Structures are given as structure tokens and as C-alpha cells.
Amino acid sequence: MDETPSFDAPEAFGAPESTDPFTPQARHLVVVSGGLGDPSSSRQLADRLAAAAADALSAEGIVPEVHVVELRLLATDIAEAMVNPSRSEALQAALDEVEQADGIIAVSPTFKASYSGLFKSFWDLVEDGVIRDVPVLLGATGGTPRHSLMIDTAMRPLFSYLRTKVLSSGIFAASDDWGEVEGGQASTRTTPLQTRIAAAGADLASVVARLAARPRRASGAPKPLEVTPFDQLLRGE
Amino acid sequence: MQFGVFTIGDITTDPTNGTTPTEHQRIKDTVRIAQHAEQAGFEVFATGQHHNPPFVAPGNPPTLLAFLAAQTQKLILSTATTLITTMDPVRLAEDYSYLQHLADGRVDLTMGRGNTGPVYPWFGKDIRQGIPLAVENYHLLYRLWHEQNIDWQGRFRTPLQDFTLTPQPLDGVAPFVWHGSIRSAEIAEQAAYYGDGFFHNNIFWNKEHVIQMVQLYRQRYEYYGHGKAHQAYVALGGQAFMRKNSQDAVNEFRPYFDNAPVYGHGPSMEQFTRMTPLTVGSPQQVIERTLEFRDWVGDYQRQMFLIDHAGLPTDVVLEQIDIFGEEVLPVLRKEFAALKPADVPEAPTHEFLVARHERGEDPVPGGKEGSPAWQDAQERAATAEHAEQPGA
């Protein structure tokens, strides 16, 4: 018997009516790049990871919708949001995309043995619990491969705290890696960057494809409020 | 429609001359501001409750409000907010009940949870229990104001056996209660459950939040059968600085905005005025902005303004109150009244509550017979009974 997947949103006050009605088979990938330059190698890595994941999703018959959040363009808004509860429209739109993502690709440059302060500040603005169980692929860039454990020592705990499904594969791109190709010098003995990117993209796609699409709301619409009936609150539930 | 002034009693250095008022000066000036608000035609004055510097709003608002009751004739004395989480509901019931007698009924309250973490442990409480504390404490407070010889037991306070409040509320009618919250759906639900009012202090928030919370409160108010959604009691916050020419207002207020702990060193004044209700400009701009709030939340009952903030000298604050009284409030009253449908209630007063009580029309917490909430409860009970029958 054919099981038709249900894309209905959960019952909640002001809940969105359905997932994207035109393409219910779509999955929304949100790419958050913490690169500070333009051009930026973090953005470059993020784009390549997104392309790899999108290709793998397409191969499974799923329509990938990719949204890129470039934090350098939001730097002032993020700083202002730290000291004031108001959010600029651009920042709120970015946070809304992240909250509704079916999969997240998060990439930061390595600064002083960790992610950049801007990258951390952005995730500080994401409310606890809103991206619980969302698959996350981590990526980082740095000057030399000696920083490559940053993904595991700094980024992974952050995304564990956010209760996301952090994929075991994380992609670190040192400056040298951009010069490496399949069939390059055997003496380097590392897997070329593009090969690692393709594998990680496929890894993310395989998890995203197996999860139901998350409910989406009309763009700009605030998050629905969920109500616990008051007699339950009174009983301490 | 009621208009009011609310204060958080902040002690802030005036950035234009470096002077800082003493606590004594600020407290005495608060009294002047309240008296002046009454003379200018405001109906309400509300004080915050604070337990930490740089604020001198009273730790127990009835102390200030009782003094103001003696200094004013018509002003409704209120709070913004009373901390329902960290205060003993028995003391709240006693103190506000006593105040209500002294003030001949010119008293209501706005309940808030408080967001200063250390205040909770100072009073033996835990901020992570904020919502459960607000729920349990208010339920006890409600019972203390509506019942006698109470037996009560809860999670956060020693039990009561055969407790009767003294003094009983004036004319057998508890002060009207507003519940204030910015983002917590539970508090909008709480206000709706009891048929109380809902206050959204929108002064730092984008309008989407305001609309969503008030909409939720209104729908649940109707669900609990206290009236139609558009008849629920809504109050909003707001803040403004005015001069005849708007550019003068902008120039004069900018150093205060840029340096105030609550505003400064973040978004520019222009961004902030676009995103939040803060209006810096001419009286006409304040009128237009305030009327816009009605488009967001529907016809509402009370508009509070924060005026004495950011280190403004008291004389300037009094001047601002005068501009409100002369140029803003008369127009707003006329405009709001012309737009308001006849079946939307006015803001509650003691006289209104007494008349409602005598008609036997007090709200029934959780919904009176026939309300959608009552019908749901009946159905749930029937299902549960059915499930208990053997063989069912």
C-alpha cells in the first residue's frame, strides 16, 4: 500500500496552513556563512556545500530551495540586536529562514581557535529549541590544516546545545586545500576538498530527504503562538 | 478610553549637563509628575516595582500609591507592574485591598513576572519557575479577593487553613487586574481565563508581536465566554517626546536617546522610532502614531505613556505632560470615541465593577455555563465518564 506522506502543519494557534503548497516535495536548505571578506573563502565553501547537497537532493527527486544568509551583511543589525530587543527586517528574515529550515549548512572562518564572534552572535539570537532535530552540516575555513579540529572543539558543542542533528562529517578547508584536485600530488595523502564536499553534501541530503518537510509560514508572518489551556497550567502541567 | 503616565523610576544622568538626581529628589519628583498628570487630564498613573538600582520605583507600590491617593482626587492609581512571581499573594491581597479603601476604589493593578534574574533568589524564588509562579500566585490572590474561610495548598507557599482576608475588598469588588506580557502566550491565556485585562508594553517591540499577543488574548477571552473578542480589555504602552516643530524635538531628545541605558548605543533614534512606538516629533505626529495602534489591536481601553525617562529633567517632563494635556489627549479622545463601536466597553473603573457585580455579571474564571470553554469541559467530562464504564 502506498503511504502518502502528510505535510499538514501541527494544530496550533495561528499555525501555517501547509507547507509550500506548490512544491510539497521541496526541502529548504539554509546556508549561514560567517565569512567577513568579499570575496570570502567561507562563503565559497558554503556555496559549494550547498550545491553538493542540492545536487544530491535533486538526484532523489526532491526540489532543493537554497537560502543564503551572509552574516557580514547583517553585522551591524546583529550587534544592535544584542543590546536591544528589536530586530531589523533583514535580520528577522534571516532568523525566520533558519527557524524554518529543513537542513542547515553553517560555515565560519577560524578566529583565535574558534568561530568568529559574529558567527556566535548570530546563533545567540536563535531561540532555544526552534531548530531542534534539524540536520546541520558544519564547515570551517582557516589558514592552515592545523586549525581543522575547530569544527569539533568549538562548532559541534554549539550545535549540540541547539539540539540539532549535527552530521558527523564536517568540512574544513585550509588555504592549501583550494589548490588540491583529484589526481594531484600523492605525497599530500589527503582526500581533495571537492571530493570531501561532494560526500558531505550527499550526507546532508540523505538525512534531509528522509525527514518530513517542516511547516512554513508566509514570509514575514510571525511565529504562531501555542496555547496551553489554562486549566492545564493551573494543574501544573 | 483612559490615558495614563507610567514610570519605572530610573535614576539616569542627564547627558547634557552631567547631573544625576538623588534618590530622594527622584522619589519626590515622581509625586510631582503624578499630580501634574492629573491636572493635565490623564486618568491613570502607574508605577513600576523595583528592587535594584538604578531604579527607585517602590519595592511595594502601595506605599507610593497610598501617598498619591491622598494627594490626588480623580487619578486612578495603578502598577506597571506588580511582581506576582516574587511577592507573597497574601501580602498583595492585603496591601492592595487596604489601598483600595484609602483611595476610594481608584486602584487597579498590572501583573508582571519581572525579568531581572537576581530578584527571584532574593525573594526565595527561581526565575525558571516564572510562569508556574505567576499562575499559582495569581490564582491564590484571586481566591483571596473573592472567597472567605479559604483552605489552600500549593507548590510555592505554606498552606492556608481557614484564612479570611482583611480588609475585604471595597464594596465587595476586587481591584481590576491587567496581566502584562510581551511574548508569553501563557499570560495572555491567563488574562482571558479570568476575564481580566491584557496589557502589552510594546515600547521596545515590533508591532507583529503586539498584534499576535492581543489577537490571542481576544480570541481566548471570547472562548471563555466573557464577551466577544472585540470587547476584551486591552491596554498598550507607548513613549514620545514632542516639540511644536518636529526637528526641535529630534534635536533636543537625541542626546537623551543616545545615552539612555534602555535606548542608547544600539540602533539610531531614526531606526528605533521606525521599529517601535517611540515618537519624537510634533504633537500631530504623536496623535497619528497613537491612532495607528488601534489599527494594530482594534478598539482598546487604555493607553499608557512613558514620559519621565532617559535622564530628562523633571521640568521638561512636566512640560511634556502639559503638551499631552493641551494638544494630544483632546484630539485622541475625540478620534478614538468617534471610531469606537457602541458595544465595545469603556475602560473599567471601580463604579463599573460595582455595577457589574450588582447585576450578577462578574466574569466566571474558565467560562460560565454555555461558553465554548464550558461546552468543551462538558464534552471532556462525558468522554472520561464513558471511558470509565466497564466494557467501554
Side-chain angles (χ1 to χ4, degrees), chain A residues 33-59:
Chain A
S33 167
L36 299 186
D38 182 18
S40 135
S41 58
S42 290
R43 173 70 199 267
Q44 205 174 347
L45 175 60
D47 284 346
R48 298 210 131 205
L49 287 169
D55 286 350
L57 281 174
S58 299

Side-chain angles (χ1 to χ4, degrees), chain B residues 264-323:
Chain B
H265 314 292
S268 70
M269 194 165 83
E270 282 69 18
Q271 282 171 294
F272 201 85
T273 48
R274 196 165 45 78
M275 292 190 296
T276 75
L278 173 67
T279 311
V280 182
S282 67
Q284 185 55 35
Q285 283 173 290
V286 174
I287 290 166
E288 282 163 18
R289 197 68 185 282
T290 310
L291 285 169
E292 217 176 275
F293 298 169
R294 182 184 162 278
D295 300 335
W296 303 353
V297 303
D299 291 283
Y300 63 110
Q301 282 72 19
R302 179 178 284 186
Q303 173 64 50
M304 301 298 287
F305 288 103
L306 181 62
I307 305 175
D308 67 327
H309 57 156
L312 286 172
T314 302
D315 289 342
V316 175
V317 172
L318 300 183
E319 235 180 333
Q320 291 291 312
I321 289 173
D322 286 333
I323 303 175

Side-chain angles (χ1 to χ4, degrees), chain B residues 30 122 155 223 228 245 270 316 320 333 364 389:
Chain B
T30 305
W122 289 337
R155 289 166 64 195
Y223 174 74
K228 293 283 176 201
N245 300 313
E270 282 69 18
V316 175
Q320 291 291 312
R333 277 185 214 295
V364 177
Q389 281 168 8

Side-chain angles (χ1 to χ4, degrees), chain B residues 24-43:
Chain B
H24 181 72
Q25 191 62 49
R26 185 71 171 95
I27 289 168
K28 289 294 195 177
D29 284 351
T30 305
V31 175
R32 283 173 70 198
I33 288 165
Q35 289 173 315
H36 207 78
E38 175 172 76
Q39 287 156 16
F42 281 97
E43 283 93 352

Side-chain angles (χ1 to χ4, degrees), chain A residues 99-179:
Chain A
E99 284 186 13
Q100 301 178 88
D102 295 309
I104 295 172
I105 296 170
V107 181
S108 174
T110 306
F111 281 12
K112 307 281 189 276
S114 184
Y115 33 67
S116 72
L118 179 65
F119 184 84
K120 176 63 160 56
S121 293
F122 178 76
W123 293 104
D124 284 347
L125 297 172
V126 174
E127 279 177 56
D128 283 352
V130 296
I131 50 170
R132 177 183 281 267
D133 292 338
V134 175
V136 174
L137 172 60
L138 301 176
T141 57
T144 79
R146 278 188 288 279
H147 296 299
S148 60
L149 275 176
M150 191 281 273
I151 288 178
D152 296 297
T153 56
M155 295 180 88
R156 198 173 293 282
L158 170 62
F159 287 90
S160 297
Y161 176 85
L162 290 165
R163 301 286 186 270
T164 57
K165 284 187 174 38
V166 195
L167 298 182
S168 53
S169 48
I171 301 301
F172 189 89
S175 301
D176 291 355
D177 289 318
W178 299 99

